[in-house]
Amino acid sequence: MELEEIKKRIKDVSEKAEKELLEIVEGESDKLEIWKVKYLGRKGEINNLFALLPHLSSGEKKEAGMLINEMKEKLNTAYEERISITGKQEKHKINLSFPGKRPETGSFHPITIISREISTIFTKMGFGIVTGPDIETDYYNFEALNIPAEHPSKDVWDTFYLSEKEKILLRTHTSPVQIRIMEKTAPPFRVIAIGKCFRRDDIDATHSPVFHQIEGLMVDRGINFSHLKGILTHFIMELFGNNIKVKFTPSFFPFTEPSAEVSMSCNICKGNGCPTCHNTGYIEILGCGMVHPQVFRNVGYDTDEFTGFAFGMGIERLAIIKLGITDIRYFFQNDLRVIKQFS
Amino acid sequence: MKYSYKLISEYIDGVISPEKLIRYLEILGLNPLVVEKDKDDIVFDLETPANRGDLLSLIGVAREILPFTSASIKLPPLVFKETSNRIVPVKIEDKDDCIYYSCRVIEKVSVKETDIYIKEKIEKLGYRSNLNVIDISNYVMAEIGQPLHIFDLDKIDGFIEVRRGRKGESLVTIDGKKREIDENVLVIADSKKTIAIAGIMGGQNSEVTADTKNILIESAIFNPVVVRRGSKKIGLATEASARFERGISTDICKMGMSRTAFLIQEISRGDIGPLSESGRNKETLLPVVRFDMAKVNKFSGVEIEEEFVLDLLKRLNFKVKKEKKSFVVSPPSYRNDIKEDVDIIEEIVRYRHYETIPPSMPFTSINPTPCSPEVETLEKIRDICVQLGFTEVVHMGLTSGENVNFNREIIPVEIENPISSNLKFLRTSLIPEMLETIRFNIYHGARSFNLFEIGKVYSRKKDSFEEDIVLSFMSINSGDFFILKGKLEKLFDKLNLKNIQFKKQSGIFSTDNNLTIYLGASEFQSDAGLGAERGKQSGCPRGVTGSDSDRQRGVSPYGSNRESDYLDDIFIGNIFILSDEIKDKFDIRKFEICGSEIVLEKIIEKASFVKFFKEPSKYPSSRRDFSFFFPENIEWGEIENTILSLNLPVEKIECFDFYKADNMTDNTISISFSVFFRSDTGTLENEDVVNFSEKIIEIISLKLKGKLRGAGGET
């Protein structure tokens, strides 16, 4: 296209634009905006004119470019003037019915949520929170707890060894903390310990080689089995509600005697029987008992003066019951779709 | 084994309903679980405690529930006639391994399929029916609790010897499997060969078959620990080994022998020979336990009647003598779990029924109770992390060799007996498991998220194992590096940690984009007027990669003694932009991932949550904006510290712009920042602020070679 032809095209566009602009009258701010897009928009007719220039010589390019720019400026001014006639376009009405924009917030892992609930209940009753190492010796994990070296009673604690020769292992329960705290504390006292435990269990819906436990220990003069029942019944009702029934049945742990297993009425079927409680109406939730005198002797406590009770429970198990989580694997899979449910 | 109401009833002289039987077992904590029920019988499982081998028998369970009833025990007939005089001599290599061994020949036995009558019983007990003599031995084991073994007499040469296995030896057991034996395994041998693994399983070479004419019955007591070791060694646990591991009494052992001989003669006839035995054939002195009612009540928390206790112990077959206020009790031989007074107390409370003991709250002194100091701080850190928008994750901490190899300077802790190779090591860092979780969540549709974990990492030192509590942050497509750095700085602020230093050094998870974080050993607090506050409020420079904000260096002029300052600083962690190489390894290339890992031990030690009121200044602040061209490698901390070294009443310094324009070819960058002046003592006059600004411009151009591009501001 020759320069002259382009000049003519510029003039045509300019005249057409001016004519259309004059037709826009008062109140037609919508039309004015449409006009603006048509001519002055980024892909409007004026900008399109620049596409015609590349074939021209540089002098001609300059001339035509200036003409287009002049026209653009002129139309811009005309547009601004026209606004005073049509009135400003009404502000866009906001539709408040759209959903809000939710900020991302952090959330706690269910293990933390349940651990905190449990420790709050016990700290309210004056229990302190103590900790111990994950890497333990056979002495603290077994021997001091009156668990005989080679006896079937050890079978429930299938152990990961770091050095079987040196008797170093990953603790199979939080009970070693009992021994460690008694070794350096004179009674009376009451504590709970929370932490990871490790057992050589294959992974399935109810087993995990790593899980968390809460251990409790109270030692004083005159502590008896009735107190053990009192403290734990209170704990379970605080955690699960006052309508829960609690049942103590005899059990066996080498480090407690008498020992008990505590069950509560199934919170899913309300005691009517369901798969979770194996149709018994009750779910086992923790093990406990009066501290065995041999354990006290191992830490040098006077068994005539002091008695005490101890208890232990799996946090994942309590979380499963309380939060209705169906598979222990969810705790370590860290699926955000699961964790975020409890924030 | 399984238990049947009908079979147990055979040993009770009296009548108990099946419902009552189950109820009693429930009260005693044996958790009966009914598996089969028909019109006149129920079959159930029991959870028997590991110290109660006696309950692995029908008679044992009958004895256990007797105290609830007025019935008495009815023992089965045992008397038979010896009509043969054939004998197999017995030798025991070590009387510690085998406490007692007895055997008896029965000649001319009619071995055949079991009668339907025995077959039914055997199947109820959960065993598969076999030849009659084998079924009888299994039945007696279930009835009395004594494991028995029956050899084909004609396959035995000479004598019986109980001895340790020899290295290189092997035996095909009756289940058809070849078992490698060594000196940890106790075996039964004849004069020529090994014929059984003691207490675990017999050998095929001496097995009873349909053609067997003459048999040898074995009834023995093996050392529980030796049987257990042998069972672990060869990887075979049986009904017999379970009973031996729990301990057998001589009475039971002898009764088992007689009962087996009796039943075999009755059912398959044959001529019984005399007993051949070796070892201790009498019960050792039974323990004598002393207890008194005061202790029973002290433990249980209720008043228990003496009469109840006496009656109970008698019905449990304990010998009881009263001596003044206390009782002297000796348990029957099959109760090897009774060793001291609490064992008796447990029996009393069990039979008294746990449910009848009312719950009560202890009256106790209110005294300080032990508390580990880190617990509270850790929980506060957890709270701050969630406030900062991170979601908590918890990993197992058991991981693969590949995952502990990222940091080759740490010797990882290895598990000797892992369950799988990907759970063989204890983690040395939280990051690899984090990356696996990131991948998992990305695969499941998550696109932008922030994670944190507080957990332990483990390492092996020369002669110890170490565990440290570590905090890790990961940000996935959640803004640039400086957002994460800012959050980390916020955490340090909230913990009131002074003197945190970031130093550009290459890290494990990023060679190029990693800052190492130090906690300054010297905890001095600057007195530089309001300058002391600046650490808390200074904004973070955006886009300045590798900046080293040496925050607490306000007083000492920057640059002096820098080396020695670092000497005492404690390494606490890293913050990084995850390298592409590692992203590729975890198949998460397309995501912007920044992370940080902080060792918490020192932080817990130094963190403080003490707040004290500081009155806000009554006087207005003045702001001045500055833009400088700086040499490209300038660090933000240098600018901040240089300004602070002037000891002006500076409230805070904020970096608001940073760029390197295309046309700046001379290795400079433009940095713009605002300085806020405020005095506690009066309103700053315009001349003051102008004067301060001049000083700032002067020192920056002098010390940092900054070229002023522009300055301005408002008062």
Side-chain angles (χ1 to χ4, degrees), chain A residues 29-174:
Chain A
S29 60
D30 302 3
K31 275 191 181 168
L32 182 64
E33 286 310 304
I34 294 167
W35 178 89
K36 187 189 177 195
V37 173
K38 185 177 172 189
Y39 291 101
L40 297 171
R42 202 161 55 81
K43 287 185 173 173
E45 289 197 24
I46 293 171
N47 274 352
N48 285 346
L49 292 172
F50 285 107
L52 305 172
L53 307 189
H55 311 290
L56 301 178
S57 70
S58 68
E60 289 174 334
K61 239 186 226 170
K62 206 173 175 185
E63 193 185 338
M66 269 170 65
L67 272 175
I68 298 171
N69 279 330
E70 265 171 33
M71 176 183 73
K72 199 174 176 180
E73 224 162 276
K74 201 174 87 190
L75 289 178
N76 249 326
T77 315
Y79 162 78
E80 297 290 340
E81 279 168 7
R82 205 70 195 163
I83 288 177
S84 58
I85 295 167
T86 59
K88 274 215 172 121
Q89 195 188 14
E90 255 182 75
K91 252 205 175 158
H92 181 65
K93 266 194 192 150
I94 306 166
N95 183 341
L96 298 178
S97 72
F98 287 109
K101 292 175 184 167
R102 303 174 195 194
E104 202 204 319
T105 52
S107 33
F108 293 105
H109 193 279
I111 289 173
T112 298
I113 295 171
I114 295 293
S115 302
R116 284 182 164 195
E117 276 188 53
I118 296 170
S119 40
T120 305
I121 297 168
F122 283 107
T123 49
K124 275 188 200 164
M125 292 192 278
F127 284 73
I129 305 174
V130 293
T131 53
D134 294 354
I135 297 174
E136 267 296 1
T137 61
D138 186 89
Y139 177 78
Y140 285 104
N141 198 73
F142 293 122
E143 200 184 325
L145 289 162
N146 196 33
I147 302 168
E150 295 188 71
H151 189 264
S153 59
K154 213 171 171 173
D155 285 346
V156 279
W157 299 284
D158 201 353
T159 310
F160 283 118
Y161 282 94
L162 304 182
S163 168
E164 194 162 10
K165 224 172 82 192
E166 295 167 68
K167 296 187 164 189
I168 294 169
L169 45 82
L170 292 176
R171 67 172 175 197
T172 57
H173 46 186
T174 40

Side-chain angles (χ1 to χ4, degrees), chain A residues 107 112 116 129 131 134-135 150 155 159 161 164 190 196 200 220 225-226 229 257 259 304 340, chain B residues 228-229 298-299 340 343 346 354 357-358 360 364 369 372 374 379 391-392 395 416-417 458 467:
Chain A
S107 33
T112 298
R116 284 182 164 195
I129 305 174
T131 53
D134 294 354
I135 297 174
E150 295 188 71
D155 285 346
T159 310
Y161 282 94
E164 194 162 10
R190 46 194 189 277
K196 264 187 185 159
R200 277 193 90 246
D220 203 342
F225 194 78
S226 163
K229 285 188 73 173
E257 185 145 35
S259 302
D304 285 330
K340 291 273 183 192
Chain B
R228 187 171 166 83
R229 279 188 201 150
K298 187 179 156 188
F299 252 73
E340 55 180 302
D343 300 316
E346 180 172 66
Y354 280 11
I357 296 176
S360 69
T364 175
T369 195
S372 297
E374 79 275 17
E379 290 313 311
T391 293
E392 188 183 23
H395 295 103
E416 282 182 346
N417 55 341
Y458 312 81
E467 33 193 282

